[in-house]
Amino acid sequence: MAFVPANALRFHVQRLPAATAAAATGPGRPVVVFLHGLVVDNLSSFYCPLALPAARAGHEVVLYDLRGHGRSERPTTGYDSATAVDDLVSLLGALGLGHRRVHLVGNSHGGTLALHTALARPDLIAGLTLLEPPLGGAWVENMVDTLSAAALSLEDSPVPAELLSLRLRKAANLTAIADDLLNRTSLIDDMAASLPFTPADYARLSCPALIVCGEHSELVPEARELARHAPRATIEILPGLGHDVLKESSGVLRKSVLAHLDATAAAAGTRTGAPVR
């Protein structure tokens, strides 16, 4: 575990070195960076299903808790997508990875941030893997309503103390973090102010991208729209699943993601990206 200062905050970061000789392909091999979902999520959700297998397959891996999440510092503002991109770029520089291109693996809201990063900094991104990415305006409206209701239920709630009294420390900690994020930061307002992606945005996506959705997910139509307009995007629909493909289909998902990471790394060759600034 490490805490790294970047963009005027302290971020909780985990790095996994590549465990095989495949990493010896030179500085052009992308670093795989994982971006988790909203509020009660953190870097640990990726560790066993994807991050550790990726490292064992020869990829250098970086996981971090997003601003305000997990063990990262929790400021009151800065939960918009542009600041999230700045956080990531600054963090890569602080980790000494400013000369490396990255492959972003984003789950749910993390997938949205990954796409924003690829559009804002195409020079930095070698590839994307988007797991159930929320892309449309309707999802944002529904999520803002859901989070607003959750904020009201958590305000001055005795639940964290009750969970601690039952020795459910992890659940108590997650509940306290959710309360802080929803009631004492600009996260909900920043989400409400965000703009949906457009077909023109998707058409600008120049890197290879794999989009993975569950068959029954409400996010499938917008994912298909992304795949339709982005020139190097493909979509994989996992049968019988809903939104939480990361937890519900780790074996099938792992095979698809590792294959995409290997293909992106092979395509990158020894090419290096522009320095991160």
Side-chain angles (χ1 to χ4, degrees):
M1 176 175 62
F3 291 94
V4 178
N7 206 21
L9 295 181
R10 279 200 330 153
F11 288 90
H12 174 220
V13 180
Q14 296 281 347
R15 297 183 69 171
L16 302 177
T20 75
T25 55
R29 188 174 179 86
V31 178
V32 181
V33 180
F34 288 87
L35 305 175
H36 62 75
L38 272 174
V39 185
V40 295
D41 205 359
N42 56 57
L43 64 80
S44 67
S45 63
F46 280 118
Y47 194 85
C48 290
L50 292 177
L52 192 56
R56 287 173 174 167
H59 300 278
E60 185 177 352
V61 167
V62 172
L63 309 98
Y64 72 103
D65 289 333
L66 298 173
R67 167 185 294 249
H69 293 71
R71 298 181 179 179
S72 288
E73 193 172 350
R74 192 169 303 118
T76 57
T77 60
Y79 295 88
D80 57 286
S81 59
T83 304
V85 173
D86 290 342
D87 287 347
L88 173 57
V89 174
S90 178
L91 181 61
L92 291 173
L95 292 172
L97 298 173
H99 61 294
R100 302 279 295 277
R101 300 174 79 215
V102 298
H103 186 126
L104 299 180
V105 181
N107 181 48
S108 191
H109 180 66
T112 305
L113 298 181
L115 182 54
H116 276 296
T117 306
L119 293 174
R121 291 295 305 268
D123 59 304
L124 174 63
I125 307 302
L128 295 179
T129 301
L130 309 178
L131 313 179
E132 284 283 320
L135 305 171
W139 182 92
V140 171
E141 292 175 7
N142 291 338
M143 183 53 63
V144 167
D145 289 343
T146 299
L147 294 179
S148 297
L152 286 174
S153 69
L154 287 170
E155 192 170 14
D156 300 322
S157 171
V159 170
E162 291 172 358
L163 290 170
L164 277 176
S165 70
L166 295 172
R167 298 184 179 180
L168 299 174
R169 187 175 300 276
K170 182 177 180 180
N173 184 51
L174 289 174
T175 303
I177 289 172
D179 182 23
D180 272 352
L181 275 170
L182 298 178
N183 285 307
R184 283 171 280 282
T185 78
S186 63
L187 184 145
I188 294 177
D189 289 339
D190 289 346
M191 284 198 65
S194 64
L195 298 175
F197 295 102
T198 68
D201 291 328
Y202 299 151
R204 291 195 293 112
L205 183 64
S206 57
C207 67
L210 171 67
I211 311 126
V212 183
C213 287
E215 176 187 12
H216 304 301
S217 170
E218 64 182 1
L219 303 179
V220 169
E222 193 64 33
R224 292 193 186 279
E225 188 76 358
L226 168 57
R228 185 178 302 118
H229 292 282
R232 302 176 68 189
T234 57
I235 186 170
E236 183 171 348
I237 305 297
L238 300 184
L241 298 181
H243 181 61
D244 204 354
V245 297
L246 182 60
K247 290 183 179 178
E248 295 177 1
S249 185
S250 58
V252 175
L253 181 66
R254 184 182 305 121
K255 182 177 179 180
S256 296
V257 171
L258 290 181
H260 185 54
L261 292 178
D262 288 343
T264 302
T270 58
R271 177 185 174 187
T272 57
V276 177
R277 297 182 176 85

